[in-house]
Amino acid sequence: GCVAQQRYDQAQREGDYYKKQYQDLASYHGQLEAENAKLKGELEIYQGKAPIESGYTQDIDERLAQLKALTERITTQTGAAPGDVEFVAVEGGYGVRVTDAVLFDKGSSAIRSEGQTILAKVAQEIASKPFQRIWVRGHTDSDPVARPETLAKFPHGNLQLSAERAVEVGAFLGKNGVNAGKVVVAGFGPGEPVAKNDSEDGKRKNRRVEIFVLEDASAQAK
């Protein structure tokens, strides 16, 4: 009887142990699923997916209307030309596209005063709501860097130019109210065009800086 009791107690202890292990694994699995969902959202923002074009709901319509109104307000406040700055809806947050014409002189990574005015307004909007992460992405057209004075500053050509422009924009946001610790920058050179590089208009569209904001929906809901 004593041996049977010992076996019973041992089996119960083992049962309790494995039950706890199962609970711990279930909790860990839940954490992994949550982290996976977060990373998926971040990846979609990072990849810069196109504005939402289908499956419109009232919420999406309202969201697009808000971003359109925001674009018009900043354009009016800063005197930017139509198309120079645009807020767009992306999965998990929003993006801001700014053409290089208002941000930089040709072959330069120094932000012009006009561009600083626009970016200051953009930073104010970003900082006004909780967010998880910001990606700043620099892009160029396909024309190679050719001027000797530009090559002297950017010996690695368009890739380096786009990266340094992204750094300057990211740093500017950090100095104007945006948490710099949540900003990631990258330069893509001519690698991700949004238009063909066979016309001046297409090249103009490809020379841009994009700011993608992954919003913190849980913080906004509180």
Side-chain angles (χ1 to χ4, degrees):
C2 183
V3 173
Q5 182 64 42
Q6 290 176 349
R7 289 179 177 175
Y8 172 79
D9 292 342
Q10 178 66 23
Q12 189 172 34
R13 285 195 296 271
E14 289 180 356
D16 291 341
Y17 171 80
Y18 286 114
K19 181 179 179 182
K20 184 177 186 304
Q21 290 297 304
Y22 172 78
Q23 291 172 339
D24 289 345
L25 287 173
S27 175
Y28 182 59
H29 182 261
Q31 293 174 13
L32 288 178
E33 285 188 332
E35 182 66 17
N36 183 59
K38 174 185 174 184
L39 290 174
K40 182 180 178 182
E42 291 187 355
L43 179 61
E44 289 174 343
I45 295 286
Y46 178 77
Q47 290 174 334
K49 291 193 172 182
I52 300 170
E53 296 177 350
S54 61
Y56 286 111
T57 64
Q58 182 176 356
D59 289 343
I60 294 177
D61 286 337
E62 291 177 355
R63 173 68 159 167
L64 292 174
Q66 291 171 358
L67 294 174
K68 181 180 179 181
L70 183 56
T71 298
E72 293 174 349
R73 185 167 76 248
I74 288 186
T75 297
T76 301
Q77 290 176 347
T78 62
D84 280 344
V85 56
E86 181 183 13
F87 283 73
V88 295
V90 295
E91 186 68 26
Y94 60 92
V96 189
R97 294 173 181 162
V98 187
T99 63
D100 81 325
V102 298
L103 290 177
F104 310 102
D105 290 328
K106 187 175 180 63
S108 172
S109 62
I111 303 174
R112 300 171 54 194
S113 59
E114 180 184 2
Q116 291 182 23
T117 300
I118 292 174
L119 288 178
K121 292 290 184 182
V122 170
Q124 183 179 1
E125 291 295 335
I126 294 174
S128 67
K129 299 180 179 64
F131 63 89
Q132 297 182 41
R133 182 72 67 185
I134 293 175
W135 285 269
V136 180
R137 299 153 44 109
H139 302 269
T140 67
D141 60 28
S142 61
D143 290 347
V145 174
R147 293 193 303 173
E149 60 270 29
T150 306
L151 274 175
K153 292 187 292 184
F154 308 106
H156 301 295
N158 279 325
L159 186 62
Q160 184 177 8
L161 174 61
S162 66
E164 294 205 21
R165 285 178 168 180
V167 168
E168 290 298 322
V169 171
F172 184 90
L173 295 177
K175 293 178 181 178
N176 286 268
V178 174
N179 184 345
K182 295 184 177 182
V183 177
V184 178
V185 300
F188 290 82
E192 292 196 359
V194 293
K196 292 183 178 180
N197 281 293
D198 57 1
S199 68
E200 283 305 314
D201 184 60
K203 292 177 182 179
R204 178 187 60 78
K205 292 177 180 177
N206 290 330
R207 297 190 301 266
R208 68 201 190 277
V209 173
E210 298 168 328
I211 304 167
F212 291 103
V213 182
L214 178 63
E215 296 179 306
D216 190 344
S218 60
Q220 293 187 41
K222 294 179 180 179

